[in-house]
Short mmCIF file of all heavy atoms in Angstrom, two decimals:
data_model
loop_
_atom_site.label_atom_id
_atom_site.label_comp_id
_atom_site.label_asym_id
_atom_site.label_seq_id
_atom_site.Cartn_x
_atom_site.Cartn_y
_atom_site.Cartn_z
N ARG T 1 -13.31 3.13 12.17
CA ARG T 1 -14.21 2.37 12.99
C ARG T 1 -15.14 1.55 12.15
O ARG T 1 -15.25 0.34 12.42
CB ARG T 1 -14.99 3.37 13.92
CG ARG T 1 -15.35 2.69 15.17
CD ARG T 1 -16.03 3.61 16.17
NE ARG T 1 -16.00 5.01 15.95
CZ ARG T 1 -16.57 5.90 16.69
NH1 ARG T 1 -17.17 5.52 17.76
NH2 ARG T 1 -16.49 7.20 16.43
N PHE T 2 -15.78 2.14 11.19
CA PHE T 2 -16.69 1.39 10.31
C PHE T 2 -15.96 0.26 9.61
O PHE T 2 -16.48 -0.88 9.50
CB PHE T 2 -17.34 2.27 9.23
CG PHE T 2 -18.06 1.55 8.18
CD1 PHE T 2 -19.31 1.04 8.46
CD2 PHE T 2 -17.51 1.30 6.95
CE1 PHE T 2 -20.07 0.30 7.49
CE2 PHE T 2 -18.25 0.66 5.99
CZ PHE T 2 -19.46 0.13 6.25
N LEU T 3 -14.72 0.53 9.12
CA LEU T 3 -13.96 -0.46 8.34
C LEU T 3 -13.72 -1.71 9.29
O LEU T 3 -13.85 -2.80 8.82
CB LEU T 3 -12.65 0.16 7.86
CG LEU T 3 -11.88 -0.68 6.94
CD1 LEU T 3 -12.66 -0.92 5.63
CD2 LEU T 3 -10.60 0.11 6.60
N ARG T 4 -13.27 -1.48 10.52
CA ARG T 4 -13.07 -2.56 11.41
C ARG T 4 -14.31 -3.35 11.67
O ARG T 4 -14.27 -4.61 11.61
CB ARG T 4 -12.43 -2.03 12.71
CG ARG T 4 -11.88 -3.24 13.57
CD ARG T 4 -11.16 -2.80 14.75
NE ARG T 4 -12.13 -2.23 15.71
CZ ARG T 4 -11.87 -1.18 16.53
NH1 ARG T 4 -10.82 -0.54 16.40
NH2 ARG T 4 -12.85 -0.76 17.34
N ARG T 5 -15.47 -2.68 11.95
CA ARG T 5 -16.69 -3.44 12.15
C ARG T 5 -17.10 -4.24 10.98
O ARG T 5 -17.58 -5.38 11.10
CB ARG T 5 -17.72 -2.45 12.55
CG ARG T 5 -17.73 -2.00 13.92
CD ARG T 5 -18.96 -1.28 14.37
NE ARG T 5 -19.36 -0.34 13.35
CZ ARG T 5 -19.76 0.88 13.55
NH1 ARG T 5 -19.78 1.38 14.77
NH2 ARG T 5 -20.09 1.65 12.57
N TYR T 6 -16.93 -3.65 9.74
CA TYR T 6 -17.31 -4.32 8.56
C TYR T 6 -16.48 -5.60 8.38
O TYR T 6 -17.02 -6.71 8.14
CB TYR T 6 -17.07 -3.48 7.39
CG TYR T 6 -17.26 -4.10 5.98
CD1 TYR T 6 -18.58 -4.26 5.50
CD2 TYR T 6 -16.22 -4.55 5.29
CE1 TYR T 6 -18.80 -4.95 4.28
CE2 TYR T 6 -16.45 -5.21 4.07
CZ TYR T 6 -17.70 -5.36 3.56
OH TYR T 6 -17.91 -6.03 2.41
N HIS T 7 -15.17 -5.48 8.48
CA HIS T 7 -14.31 -6.68 8.35
C HIS T 7 -14.55 -7.69 9.42
O HIS T 7 -14.36 -8.88 9.26
CB HIS T 7 -12.86 -6.23 8.28
CG HIS T 7 -12.50 -5.60 6.99
ND1 HIS T 7 -12.48 -4.29 6.79
CD2 HIS T 7 -12.16 -6.22 5.75
CE1 HIS T 7 -12.23 -4.03 5.49
NE2 HIS T 7 -11.96 -5.17 4.86
N GLU T 8 -14.76 -7.25 10.61
CA GLU T 8 -15.04 -8.21 11.75
C GLU T 8 -16.31 -8.99 11.49
O GLU T 8 -16.42 -10.14 11.93
CB GLU T 8 -15.09 -7.50 13.08
CG GLU T 8 -13.72 -7.06 13.62
CD GLU T 8 -12.74 -8.19 13.79
OE1 GLU T 8 -13.22 -9.34 14.24
OE2 GLU T 8 -11.52 -7.99 13.59
N ALA T 9 -17.22 -8.44 10.76
CA ALA T 9 -18.47 -9.17 10.45
C ALA T 9 -18.24 -10.20 9.39
O ALA T 9 -19.04 -11.15 9.18
CB ALA T 9 -19.58 -8.18 10.04
N CYS T 10 -17.17 -10.13 8.68
CA CYS T 10 -16.89 -11.08 7.56
C CYS T 10 -16.21 -12.34 8.11
O CYS T 10 -15.50 -12.26 9.16
CB CYS T 10 -15.87 -10.46 6.56
SG CYS T 10 -16.51 -9.04 5.77
N ASP T 11 -16.44 -13.49 7.52
CA ASP T 11 -15.80 -14.76 7.88
C ASP T 11 -14.35 -14.76 7.44
O ASP T 11 -13.51 -15.37 8.11
CB ASP T 11 -16.51 -15.94 7.26
CG ASP T 11 -17.93 -16.11 7.86
OD1 ASP T 11 -18.10 -15.84 9.05
OD2 ASP T 11 -18.82 -16.53 7.11
N ALA T 12 -14.07 -14.14 6.30
CA ALA T 12 -12.75 -14.10 5.74
C ALA T 12 -12.57 -12.79 4.95
O ALA T 12 -13.56 -12.31 4.36
CB ALA T 12 -12.44 -15.27 4.87
N VAL T 13 -11.34 -12.31 4.88
CA VAL T 13 -11.09 -11.07 4.09
C VAL T 13 -9.89 -11.40 3.22
O VAL T 13 -8.84 -11.83 3.69
CB VAL T 13 -10.71 -9.92 5.00
CG1 VAL T 13 -10.43 -8.66 4.14
CG2 VAL T 13 -11.91 -9.63 5.92
N ILE T 14 -10.02 -11.29 1.90
CA ILE T 14 -8.95 -11.53 0.96
C ILE T 14 -8.22 -10.23 0.74
O ILE T 14 -8.81 -9.21 0.47
CB ILE T 14 -9.48 -12.11 -0.38
CG1 ILE T 14 -10.09 -13.46 -0.11
CG2 ILE T 14 -8.40 -12.23 -1.39
CD1 ILE T 14 -10.79 -14.03 -1.30
N VAL T 15 -6.90 -10.26 0.88
CA VAL T 15 -6.05 -9.06 0.63
C VAL T 15 -4.96 -9.34 -0.40
O VAL T 15 -4.62 -10.50 -0.52
CB VAL T 15 -5.35 -8.55 2.00
CG1 VAL T 15 -6.47 -8.20 2.97
CG2 VAL T 15 -4.50 -9.70 2.57
N PRO T 16 -4.59 -8.36 -1.21
CA PRO T 16 -3.66 -8.56 -2.29
C PRO T 16 -2.22 -8.65 -1.91
O PRO T 16 -1.37 -9.09 -2.69
CB PRO T 16 -3.93 -7.42 -3.19
CG PRO T 16 -4.36 -6.38 -2.30
CD PRO T 16 -5.09 -6.95 -1.23
N SER T 17 -1.89 -8.25 -0.65
CA SER T 17 -0.44 -8.23 -0.30
C SER T 17 -0.20 -8.23 1.16
O SER T 17 -1.22 -8.02 1.98
CB SER T 17 0.26 -6.93 -0.85
OG SER T 17 -0.33 -5.78 -0.20
N LYS T 18 1.01 -8.50 1.67
CA LYS T 18 1.31 -8.44 3.03
C LYS T 18 1.18 -7.05 3.62
O LYS T 18 0.83 -6.88 4.79
CB LYS T 18 2.78 -8.93 3.27
CG LYS T 18 2.92 -10.50 3.03
CD LYS T 18 4.26 -10.93 3.47
CE LYS T 18 4.34 -12.43 3.27
NZ LYS T 18 4.96 -13.06 4.29
N GLU T 19 1.44 -6.03 2.77
CA GLU T 19 1.39 -4.68 3.27
C GLU T 19 -0.13 -4.36 3.61
O GLU T 19 -0.45 -3.79 4.64
CB GLU T 19 1.80 -3.68 2.19
CG GLU T 19 1.59 -2.27 2.56
CD GLU T 19 2.29 -1.83 3.86
OE1 GLU T 19 3.36 -2.39 4.19
OE2 GLU T 19 1.74 -0.91 4.52
N VAL T 20 -1.08 -4.80 2.79
CA VAL T 20 -2.49 -4.56 3.13
C VAL T 20 -2.87 -5.38 4.40
O VAL T 20 -3.64 -4.95 5.25
CB VAL T 20 -3.40 -4.98 1.90
CG1 VAL T 20 -4.91 -4.88 2.29
CG2 VAL T 20 -3.07 -4.06 0.68
N GLN T 21 -2.32 -6.60 4.47
CA GLN T 21 -2.63 -7.46 5.64
C GLN T 21 -2.12 -6.72 6.88
O GLN T 21 -2.83 -6.66 7.90
CB GLN T 21 -1.87 -8.76 5.55
CG GLN T 21 -2.08 -9.69 6.72
CD GLN T 21 -1.25 -10.94 6.66
OE1 GLN T 21 -0.08 -10.88 6.24
NE2 GLN T 21 -1.74 -12.02 7.01
N ARG T 22 -0.91 -6.14 6.93
CA ARG T 22 -0.38 -5.41 8.09
C ARG T 22 -1.21 -4.19 8.38
O ARG T 22 -1.47 -3.92 9.57
CB ARG T 22 1.06 -4.97 7.78
CG ARG T 22 2.10 -6.09 7.92
CD ARG T 22 3.51 -5.56 7.91
NE ARG T 22 3.89 -5.05 6.57
CZ ARG T 22 4.50 -5.74 5.67
NH1 ARG T 22 4.68 -7.01 5.82
NH2 ARG T 22 4.78 -5.27 4.52
N ARG T 23 -1.70 -3.43 7.38
CA ARG T 23 -2.53 -2.30 7.61
C ARG T 23 -3.85 -2.67 8.28
O ARG T 23 -4.26 -1.98 9.22
CB ARG T 23 -2.79 -1.55 6.28
CG ARG T 23 -1.61 -0.77 5.78
CD ARG T 23 -1.95 -0.13 4.49
NE ARG T 23 -0.74 0.46 3.94
CZ ARG T 23 -0.71 1.37 3.04
NH1 ARG T 23 -1.88 1.89 2.58
NH2 ARG T 23 0.38 1.84 2.52
N LEU T 24 -4.40 -3.78 7.83
CA LEU T 24 -5.66 -4.15 8.46
C LEU T 24 -5.49 -4.68 9.91
O LEU T 24 -6.25 -4.43 10.74
CB LEU T 24 -6.38 -5.22 7.57
CG LEU T 24 -6.96 -4.71 6.26
CD1 LEU T 24 -7.47 -5.85 5.46
CD2 LEU T 24 -8.03 -3.64 6.45
N GLU T 25 -4.36 -5.37 10.10
CA GLU T 25 -4.01 -5.84 11.44
C GLU T 25 -3.88 -4.64 12.37
O GLU T 25 -4.27 -4.67 13.57
CB GLU T 25 -2.75 -6.65 11.47
CG GLU T 25 -3.00 -8.10 10.89
CD GLU T 25 -1.66 -8.81 10.75
OE1 GLU T 25 -0.58 -8.31 10.90
OE2 GLU T 25 -1.77 -10.03 10.47
N ARG T 26 -3.25 -3.56 11.92
CA ARG T 26 -3.06 -2.37 12.71
C ARG T 26 -4.32 -1.70 13.21
O ARG T 26 -4.36 -1.09 14.23
CB ARG T 26 -2.19 -1.35 11.98
CG ARG T 26 -0.71 -1.54 12.17
CD ARG T 26 0.05 -0.53 11.52
NE ARG T 26 0.15 -0.97 10.16
CZ ARG T 26 0.86 -0.44 9.16
NH1 ARG T 26 1.53 0.67 9.32
NH2 ARG T 26 0.94 -0.96 7.98
N ILE T 27 -5.41 -1.83 12.38
CA ILE T 27 -6.60 -1.31 12.82
C ILE T 27 -7.45 -2.28 13.60
O ILE T 27 -8.62 -1.99 13.92
CB ILE T 27 -7.45 -0.70 11.65
CG1 ILE T 27 -7.94 -1.71 10.65
CG2 ILE T 27 -6.73 0.42 10.99
CD1 ILE T 27 -8.93 -1.23 9.67
N GLY T 28 -6.94 -3.49 13.85
CA GLY T 28 -7.58 -4.40 14.73
C GLY T 28 -8.25 -5.64 14.04
O GLY T 28 -8.94 -6.38 14.74
N ILE T 29 -8.04 -5.85 12.78
CA ILE T 29 -8.62 -7.05 12.07
C ILE T 29 -7.70 -8.23 12.46
O ILE T 29 -6.50 -8.17 12.35
CB ILE T 29 -8.64 -6.81 10.58
CG1 ILE T 29 -9.26 -5.52 10.18
CG2 ILE T 29 -9.35 -8.02 9.88
CD1 ILE T 29 -10.75 -5.30 10.69
N SER T 30 -8.44 -9.34 12.91
CA SER T 30 -7.70 -10.50 13.28
C SER T 30 -6.99 -11.15 12.04
O SER T 30 -7.51 -11.29 10.90
CB SER T 30 -8.66 -11.53 13.74
OG SER T 30 -8.02 -12.75 13.92
N ARG T 31 -5.68 -11.51 12.20
CA ARG T 31 -4.88 -12.15 11.19
C ARG T 31 -5.55 -13.46 10.76
O ARG T 31 -5.40 -13.89 9.61
CB ARG T 31 -3.52 -12.45 11.70
CG ARG T 31 -2.55 -13.07 10.72
CD ARG T 31 -1.20 -13.22 11.19
NE ARG T 31 -0.49 -12.13 10.54
CZ ARG T 31 0.88 -12.03 10.37
NH1 ARG T 31 1.60 -13.08 10.83
NH2 ARG T 31 1.41 -11.10 9.83
N LYS T 32 -6.28 -14.10 11.62
CA LYS T 32 -6.94 -15.35 11.33
C LYS T 32 -7.96 -15.24 10.13
O LYS T 32 -8.16 -16.20 9.37
CB LYS T 32 -7.65 -16.02 12.44
CG LYS T 32 -6.70 -16.40 13.58
CD LYS T 32 -7.53 -16.97 14.79
CE LYS T 32 -6.60 -17.24 15.87
NZ LYS T 32 -7.39 -17.71 17.06
N LYS T 33 -8.42 -13.96 9.96
CA LYS T 33 -9.46 -13.78 8.90
C LYS T 33 -8.79 -13.22 7.60
O LYS T 33 -9.45 -13.20 6.65
CB LYS T 33 -10.42 -12.70 9.39
CG LYS T 33 -11.37 -13.16 10.52
CD LYS T 33 -12.38 -12.12 10.78
CE LYS T 33 -13.34 -12.62 11.74
NZ LYS T 33 -14.59 -11.79 11.78
N LEU T 34 -7.56 -12.96 7.67
CA LEU T 34 -6.88 -12.33 6.47
C LEU T 34 -6.13 -13.35 5.65
O LEU T 34 -5.30 -14.10 6.17
CB LEU T 34 -5.94 -11.24 6.97
CG LEU T 34 -6.59 -10.08 7.74
CD1 LEU T 34 -5.48 -9.16 8.27
CD2 LEU T 34 -7.62 -9.32 6.92
N PHE T 35 -6.53 -13.49 4.32
CA PHE T 35 -5.90 -14.40 3.44
C PHE T 35 -5.27 -13.62 2.26
O PHE T 35 -6.02 -12.89 1.53
CB PHE T 35 -6.91 -15.39 2.95
CG PHE T 35 -7.47 -16.23 4.03
CD1 PHE T 35 -8.55 -15.83 4.77
CD2 PHE T 35 -6.87 -17.40 4.40
CE1 PHE T 35 -9.12 -16.62 5.79
CE2 PHE T 35 -7.36 -18.14 5.46
CZ PHE T 35 -8.48 -17.74 6.16
N ILE T 36 -4.06 -13.88 2.09
CA ILE T 36 -3.34 -13.15 0.95
C ILE T 36 -3.50 -13.89 -0.34
O ILE T 36 -3.12 -15.08 -0.42
CB ILE T 36 -1.83 -12.94 1.28
CG1 ILE T 36 -1.60 -12.13 2.52
CG2 ILE T 36 -1.09 -12.33 0.06
CD1 ILE T 36 -0.24 -12.06 2.98
N VAL T 37 -4.06 -13.27 -1.35
CA VAL T 37 -4.18 -13.76 -2.68
C VAL T 37 -3.54 -12.69 -3.67
O VAL T 37 -4.18 -11.68 -3.86
CB VAL T 37 -5.66 -14.02 -3.06
CG1 VAL T 37 -5.75 -14.50 -4.55
CG2 VAL T 37 -6.22 -15.07 -2.10
N PRO T 38 -2.33 -12.91 -4.01
CA PRO T 38 -1.63 -11.92 -4.89
C PRO T 38 -2.47 -11.56 -6.16
O PRO T 38 -3.11 -12.45 -6.75
CB PRO T 38 -0.31 -12.55 -5.26
CG PRO T 38 -0.11 -13.64 -4.20
CD PRO T 38 -1.53 -14.07 -3.85
N SER T 39 -2.41 -10.36 -6.52
CA SER T 39 -3.16 -9.88 -7.72
C SER T 39 -2.42 -10.22 -9.03
O SER T 39 -3.02 -10.16 -10.09
CB SER T 39 -3.39 -8.36 -7.70
OG SER T 39 -2.11 -7.73 -7.75
N GLY T 40 -1.19 -10.64 -8.98
CA GLY T 40 -0.43 -10.89 -10.23
C GLY T 40 0.22 -9.73 -10.81
O GLY T 40 0.94 -9.79 -11.72
N ILE T 41 -0.04 -8.55 -10.26
CA ILE T 41 0.59 -7.23 -10.69
C ILE T 41 1.70 -6.94 -9.74
O ILE T 41 1.47 -6.75 -8.57
CB ILE T 41 -0.48 -6.10 -10.73
CG1 ILE T 41 -1.64 -6.53 -11.65
CG2 ILE T 41 0.18 -4.85 -11.15
CD1 ILE T 41 -2.82 -5.59 -11.57
N PRO T 42 2.91 -6.81 -10.27
CA PRO T 42 3.99 -6.52 -9.43
C PRO T 42 3.95 -5.19 -8.73
O PRO T 42 3.40 -4.25 -9.35
CB PRO T 42 5.32 -6.67 -10.32
CG PRO T 42 4.73 -6.50 -11.71
CD PRO T 42 3.29 -6.94 -11.63
N ASP T 43 4.44 -5.09 -7.51
CA ASP T 43 4.55 -3.80 -6.80
C ASP T 43 5.38 -2.84 -7.66
O ASP T 43 6.37 -3.27 -8.37
CB ASP T 43 5.09 -3.93 -5.45
CG ASP T 43 4.21 -4.68 -4.54
OD1 ASP T 43 3.02 -4.79 -4.78
OD2 ASP T 43 4.72 -5.22 -3.54
N ALA T 44 4.93 -1.56 -7.60
CA ALA T 44 5.80 -0.54 -8.30
C ALA T 44 7.15 -0.44 -7.63
O ALA T 44 7.20 -0.46 -6.40
CB ALA T 44 5.07 0.83 -8.20
N PRO T 45 8.24 -0.30 -8.37
CA PRO T 45 9.49 -0.15 -7.78
C PRO T 45 9.68 1.17 -7.08
O PRO T 45 8.96 2.17 -7.43
CB PRO T 45 10.49 -0.22 -8.99
CG PRO T 45 9.63 0.10 -10.17
CD PRO T 45 8.26 -0.24 -9.85
N THR T 46 10.46 1.15 -6.06
CA THR T 46 10.67 2.37 -5.28
C THR T 46 11.72 3.19 -6.00
O THR T 46 12.81 2.68 -6.43
CB THR T 46 11.13 2.05 -3.84
OG1 THR T 46 10.21 1.24 -3.30
CG2 THR T 46 11.32 3.26 -3.00
N VAL T 47 11.48 4.52 -6.10
CA VAL T 47 12.45 5.41 -6.71
C VAL T 47 12.99 6.39 -5.69
O VAL T 47 12.22 6.99 -4.95
CB VAL T 47 11.73 6.21 -7.87
CG1 VAL T 47 12.74 7.20 -8.56
CG2 VAL T 47 11.17 5.32 -8.91
N SER T 48 14.27 6.47 -5.60
CA SER T 48 14.92 7.30 -4.59
C SER T 48 14.69 8.77 -4.92
O SER T 48 14.70 9.19 -6.12
CB SER T 48 16.41 6.95 -4.40
OG SER T 48 17.08 7.43 -5.58
N PRO T 49 14.70 9.67 -3.91
CA PRO T 49 14.67 11.08 -4.17
C PRO T 49 15.86 11.61 -4.96
O PRO T 49 15.76 12.45 -5.77
CB PRO T 49 14.59 11.72 -2.70
CG PRO T 49 14.12 10.64 -1.85
CD PRO T 49 14.60 9.30 -2.47
N GLU T 50 16.92 10.89 -4.77
CA GLU T 50 18.14 11.29 -5.52
C GLU T 50 18.00 11.03 -7.02
O GLU T 50 18.43 11.87 -7.83
CB GLU T 50 19.45 10.53 -4.99
CG GLU T 50 19.82 10.89 -3.62
CD GLU T 50 18.99 10.15 -2.56
OE1 GLU T 50 18.25 9.14 -2.82
OE2 GLU T 50 19.03 10.51 -1.39
N ALA T 51 17.31 9.97 -7.37
CA ALA T 51 17.01 9.60 -8.83
C ALA T 51 16.14 10.73 -9.35
O ALA T 51 16.34 11.10 -10.53
CB ALA T 51 16.52 8.24 -8.94
N VAL T 52 15.07 11.10 -8.67
CA VAL T 52 14.21 12.17 -9.05
C VAL T 52 15.00 13.45 -9.38
O VAL T 52 14.81 14.10 -10.35
CB VAL T 52 13.06 12.35 -8.12
CG1 VAL T 52 12.20 13.56 -8.54
CG2 VAL T 52 12.17 11.12 -8.03
N GLU T 53 15.87 13.82 -8.44
CA GLU T 53 16.60 15.00 -8.60
C GLU T 53 17.50 14.95 -9.75
O GLU T 53 17.81 15.93 -10.44
CB GLU T 53 17.40 15.39 -7.29
CG GLU T 53 16.48 15.76 -6.18
CD GLU T 53 15.47 16.87 -6.60
OE1 GLU T 53 15.85 17.87 -7.19
OE2 GLU T 53 14.25 16.71 -6.28
N ARG T 54 18.11 13.76 -10.04
CA ARG T 54 19.01 13.62 -11.21
C ARG T 54 18.22 13.87 -12.49
O ARG T 54 18.70 14.57 -13.38
CB ARG T 54 19.66 12.25 -11.20
CG ARG T 54 20.86 12.09 -10.25
CD ARG T 54 21.62 10.81 -10.53
NE ARG T 54 20.87 9.61 -10.47
CZ ARG T 54 20.66 8.91 -9.37
NH1 ARG T 54 21.14 9.26 -8.22
NH2 ARG T 54 19.96 7.81 -9.44
N VAL T 55 17.02 13.36 -12.50
CA VAL T 55 16.17 13.53 -13.72
C VAL T 55 15.79 15.03 -13.87
O VAL T 55 15.86 15.53 -14.93
CB VAL T 55 14.90 12.67 -13.65
CG1 VAL T 55 13.92 13.07 -14.69
CG2 VAL T 55 15.27 11.17 -13.74
N ARG T 56 15.41 15.68 -12.73
CA ARG T 56 15.14 17.08 -12.76
C ARG T 56 16.33 17.93 -13.30
O ARG T 56 16.10 18.67 -14.19
CB ARG T 56 14.81 17.62 -11.31
CG ARG T 56 13.46 17.32 -10.85
CD ARG T 56 13.24 18.08 -9.50
NE ARG T 56 12.12 17.52 -8.78
CZ ARG T 56 10.85 17.75 -9.15
NH1 ARG T 56 10.57 18.45 -10.13
NH2 ARG T 56 9.95 17.19 -8.45
N ALA T 57 17.50 17.62 -12.85
CA ALA T 57 18.62 18.34 -13.28
C ALA T 57 18.96 18.13 -14.76
O ALA T 57 19.25 19.05 -15.54
CB ALA T 57 19.89 17.97 -12.37
N LYS T 58 18.92 16.85 -15.18
CA LYS T 58 19.17 16.47 -16.54
C LYS T 58 18.20 17.05 -17.50
O LYS T 58 18.53 17.53 -18.58
CB LYS T 58 19.19 14.96 -16.66
CG LYS T 58 19.62 14.49 -18.04
CD LYS T 58 19.75 12.97 -18.04
CE LYS T 58 20.29 12.46 -19.38
NZ LYS T 58 20.48 11.10 -19.47
N GLN T 59 16.93 17.13 -17.10
CA GLN T 59 15.86 17.61 -17.99
C GLN T 59 15.56 19.12 -17.79
O GLN T 59 14.64 19.62 -18.37
CB GLN T 59 14.61 16.72 -17.82
CG GLN T 59 14.75 15.32 -18.16
CD GLN T 59 15.14 15.08 -19.57
OE1 GLN T 59 14.66 15.81 -20.48
NE2 GLN T 59 15.96 14.10 -19.83
N ASN T 60 16.23 19.67 -16.84
CA ASN T 60 16.11 21.11 -16.44
C ASN T 60 14.61 21.42 -16.05
O ASN T 60 13.98 22.36 -16.53
CB ASN T 60 16.39 22.01 -17.59
CG ASN T 60 16.70 23.45 -17.17
OD1 ASN T 60 17.03 23.73 -16.01
ND2 ASN T 60 16.50 24.38 -18.07
N LEU T 61 14.10 20.57 -15.10
CA LEU T 61 12.70 20.67 -14.63
C LEU T 61 12.68 21.45 -13.33
O LEU T 61 13.56 21.21 -12.44
CB LEU T 61 12.08 19.30 -14.42
CG LEU T 61 11.97 18.42 -15.61
CD1 LEU T 61 11.52 16.98 -15.17
CD2 LEU T 61 10.94 18.98 -16.57
N PRO T 62 11.70 22.33 -13.23
CA PRO T 62 11.59 23.03 -11.98
C PRO T 62 11.20 22.12 -10.80
O PRO T 62 10.57 21.03 -11.07
CB PRO T 62 10.47 24.13 -12.14
CG PRO T 62 9.72 23.56 -13.30
CD PRO T 62 10.63 22.69 -14.12
N THR T 63 11.47 22.50 -9.59
CA THR T 63 11.15 21.59 -8.40
C THR T 63 9.62 21.46 -8.21
O THR T 63 9.16 20.53 -7.62
CB THR T 63 11.82 22.18 -7.10
OG1 THR T 63 11.30 23.48 -6.96
CG2 THR T 63 13.21 22.12 -7.21
N SER T 64 8.85 22.37 -8.81
CA SER T 64 7.36 22.26 -8.62
C SER T 64 6.77 21.30 -9.73
O SER T 64 5.60 20.89 -9.53
CB SER T 64 6.79 23.67 -8.81
OG SER T 64 7.08 24.16 -10.10
N ALA T 65 7.57 20.94 -10.67
CA ALA T 65 6.99 20.02 -11.71
C ALA T 65 6.98 18.52 -11.20
O ALA T 65 7.94 18.12 -10.64
CB ALA T 65 7.88 20.07 -12.98
N PRO T 66 5.83 17.83 -11.36
CA PRO T 66 5.83 16.46 -10.99
C PRO T 66 6.71 15.64 -11.92
O PRO T 66 6.84 15.88 -13.06
CB PRO T 66 4.36 16.09 -11.15
CG PRO T 66 3.77 17.13 -11.94
CD PRO T 66 4.58 18.33 -11.97
N VAL T 67 7.28 14.65 -11.32
CA VAL T 67 8.20 13.70 -12.05
C VAL T 67 7.72 12.28 -11.87
O VAL T 67 7.55 11.82 -10.77
CB VAL T 67 9.65 13.78 -11.60
CG1 VAL T 67 10.53 12.74 -12.42
CG2 VAL T 67 10.25 15.23 -11.86
N VAL T 68 7.39 11.64 -12.98
CA VAL T 68 6.98 10.18 -12.90
C VAL T 68 7.94 9.30 -13.57
O VAL T 68 8.31 9.50 -14.74
CB VAL T 68 5.60 10.12 -13.60
CG1 VAL T 68 5.09 8.58 -13.57
CG2 VAL T 68 4.53 10.97 -12.99
N LEU T 69 8.53 8.44 -12.84
CA LEU T 69 9.57 7.48 -13.31
C LEU T 69 9.03 6.12 -13.39
O LEU T 69 8.29 5.66 -12.58
CB LEU T 69 10.82 7.60 -12.40
CG LEU T 69 11.49 8.94 -12.33
CD1 LEU T 69 12.65 8.86 -11.35
CD2 LEU T 69 11.92 9.44 -13.70
#
């Protein structure tokens, strides 16, 4: 609630991506106020659960161990 009131009080809101724009629209922020200015940092690639499991098996890691790819 506070977030929506805060953004509604702004004349414009700069967001770094379409995903952030969609999230703010879902909570009721008008699209007219949202302007996308990319940060220049590429989005992290999506890693499939199967790839994580292949790494776990190859490295003999327990399922409780975090895996960062």
Side-chain angles (χ1 to χ4, degrees):
R1 208 175 348 178
F2 170 77
L3 190 62
R4 188 174 73 219
R5 282 194 313 229
Y6 175 80
H7 284 96
E8 285 300 325
C10 297
D11 292 327
V13 178
I14 296 173
V15 297
S17 66
K18 287 186 181 224
E19 176 59 30
V20 174
Q21 179 187 41
R22 282 191 291 270
R23 288 180 186 198
L24 290 176
E25 286 175 349
R26 273 183 276 187
I27 65 167
I29 309 302
S30 170
R31 178 174 262 201
K32 292 178 184 178
K33 291 186 174 196
L34 301 174
F35 296 90
I36 299 172
V37 177
S39 65
I41 300 171
D43 292 338
T46 303
V47 178
S48 72
E50 293 81 15
V52 173
E53 290 310 312
R54 282 194 302 272
V55 169
R56 279 187 198 286
K58 186 175 182 178
Q59 300 298 323
N60 199 27
L61 297 171
T63 57
S64 61
V67 176
V68 179
L69 300 177

